[in-house]
Amino acid sequence: NLMTTKKTVSSNSLNIMTRLGFDKTKSSEGVWLELDDEISVRVAREGNPAYREATRDSVKKYEADFDNEDKEVSLRAYALFVAETMSTALVKEWKGVKDENGKDVPYTPEIGFELFSDEGMEAVVEKIYKFSQTIENYRHDAEAKAVKN
């Protein structure tokens, strides 16, 4: 029985955990992604518990339109689904986002949704989403490797 097997080594002490495992704190709280020389976003890992919950909730809201015969309706539903899950569970905060008067705008999921659902932000949404899917960004030694390079 696996449950009664005596534990001889802590999994946290094995090099495979530090080299290939991900840091749960980074996964949930996020790591910084520079979008340009002024704007950065702190992005949680796709698959973190909040993301899984947000995905479940958002699917319920948009799934009726995912398979709509009108491709524009279907694509828009998918874009709104991505914007909602990204704004509520992937992007945690940002730096460098300013209003028309040059004042810092703090991140909120509502502002994030409005921004990420805009078709003009498609490339940024894609960049953030791909970053959230890249496990190397959330590894235990990711910062150490970045400093070395």
Side-chain angles (χ1 to χ4, degrees):
N1 182 334
L2 290 175
M3 299 304 289
T4 59
T5 302
K6 186 177 178 184
K7 194 173 185 181
T8 57
V9 176
S10 166
S11 62
N12 289 333
S13 68
L14 300 176
N15 73 336
I16 192 168
M17 177 60 103
T18 57
R19 293 177 58 88
L20 302 176
F22 67 86
D23 182 310
K24 289 180 183 176
T25 301
K26 288 180 187 177
S27 175
S28 294
E29 294 179 11
V31 295
W32 287 100
L33 166 64
E34 288 184 10
L35 296 175
D36 70 9
D37 60 343
E38 291 183 27
I39 300 173
S40 299
V41 291
R42 191 162 51 90
V43 182
R45 184 182 67 85
E46 180 197 46
N48 76 69
Y51 178 80
R52 290 193 305 266
E53 184 177 334
T55 298
R56 186 186 64 238
D57 294 344
S58 293
V59 162
K60 291 175 190 172
K61 202 184 283 188
Y62 300 106
E63 70 182 336
D65 288 329
F66 286 162
D67 294 325
N68 192 299
E69 289 181 22
D70 182 337
K71 283 293 181 200
E72 285 190 33
V73 171
S74 178
L75 290 172
R76 187 67 185 147
Y78 181 73
L80 292 172
F81 164 77
V82 169
E84 185 169 307
T85 55
M86 180 173 288
S87 63
T88 59
L90 292 182
V91 174
K92 300 299 185 174
E93 67 178 306
W94 58 32
K95 296 180 201 171
V97 176
K98 302 188 182 301
D99 67 14
E100 64 276 356
N101 298 315
K103 291 180 131 184
D104 287 329
V105 176
Y107 181 78
T108 67
E110 295 78 18
I111 294 172
F113 178 77
E114 186 177 330
L115 200 62
F116 302 141
S117 61
D118 186 301
E119 291 176 3
M121 292 294 291
E122 187 176 314
V124 173
V125 168
E126 188 174 308
K127 183 174 186 170
I128 293 169
Y129 195 70
K130 284 182 180 179
F131 183 86
S132 77
Q133 293 176 315
T134 306
I135 191 70
E136 288 80 9
N137 295 323
Y138 304 94
R139 292 231 166 103
H140 290 284
D141 62 350
E143 290 168 330
K145 284 182 179 176
V147 170
K148 281 185 195 175
N149 295 332

